[in-house]
């Protein structure tokens, strides 16, 4: 269905189409798991892929981290890219999601229909 508000979505460059699709599939699976196990709970990218493995070794997200290698704020920049891809995943989902921003972090929640 899509997001209910704030529909601006930026493109993520300097990764291949295959990498982009793998990342989006990975994020889609994470969203499905979250919504199945935590009904009505808000989530952010951090909830889905954050934690100890913040550089995403062994996941399809690694190209986002490595593309910013050697730059200032590498982790933050990779997180922004992943956030835009998550937003695209939610926009393309058949279900509807609400969104809000708290402490500069974007949060989403499945709207039960």
């Amino acid at each position: 269905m899509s997001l209910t508000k704030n529909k601006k979505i930026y493109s993520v460059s300097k990764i291949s189409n295959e990498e982009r699709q793998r990342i989006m599939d990975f994020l889609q699976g994470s969203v499905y798991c979250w919504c199945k196990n935590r009904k009505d709970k808000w989530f952010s990218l951090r909830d889905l892929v954050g934690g100890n493995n913040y550089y995403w070794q062994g996941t399809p997200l690694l190209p986002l981290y490595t593309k910013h290698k050697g730059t200032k704020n590498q982790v933050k920049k990779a997180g922004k890219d992943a956030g835009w891809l998550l937003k695209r995943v939610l926009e393309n989902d058949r279900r509807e999601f609400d969104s809000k921003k708290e402490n500069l972090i974007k949060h989403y929640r499945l709207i039960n229909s």
Side-chain angles (χ1 to χ4, degrees):
M1 187 83 166
S2 73
L3 294 167
T4 58
K5 53 187 164 184
N6 196 2
K7 295 190 182 225
K8 187 171 189 171
I9 302 174
Y10 290 98
S11 295
V12 175
S13 61
K14 297 181 183 171
I15 59 172
S16 71
N17 288 336
E18 181 181 320
E19 289 169 330
R20 181 178 291 101
Q21 189 59 55
R22 288 190 69 221
I23 292 166
M24 291 176 64
D25 291 343
F26 183 80
L27 292 173
Q28 181 72 61
S30 298
V31 169
Y32 270 90
C33 288
W34 181 275
C35 293
K36 177 190 167 289
N37 295 316
R38 294 182 173 94
K39 290 178 176 47
D40 302 321
K41 301 276 186 191
W42 289 93
F43 65 91
S44 68
L45 180 70
R46 286 181 183 182
D47 296 315
L48 302 178
V49 298
N52 293 340
N53 190 14
Y54 61 87
Y55 48 90
W56 302 323
Q57 184 176 356
T59 75
L61 297 165
L62 185 61
L64 297 179
Y65 183 81
T66 56
K67 91 173 206 180
H68 294 291
K69 190 169 185 149
T71 65
K72 187 177 178 182
N73 299 319
Q74 177 179 1
V75 173
K76 185 175 181 177
K77 289 176 181 178
K80 283 184 180 183
D81 283 347
W84 288 120
L85 291 173
L86 174 60
K87 193 170 182 180
R88 185 165 305 282
V89 163
L90 298 176
E91 180 64 28
N92 293 334
D93 198 292
R94 62 178 176 76
R95 302 166 298 172
E96 192 169 10
F97 292 85
D98 196 4
S99 64
K100 67 179 180 178
K101 197 169 192 178
E102 287 183 353
N103 300 321
L104 302 176
I105 299 169
K106 195 75 166 169
H107 297 268
Y108 305 97
R109 179 179 62 183
L110 177 65
I111 298 173
N112 289 327
S113 47

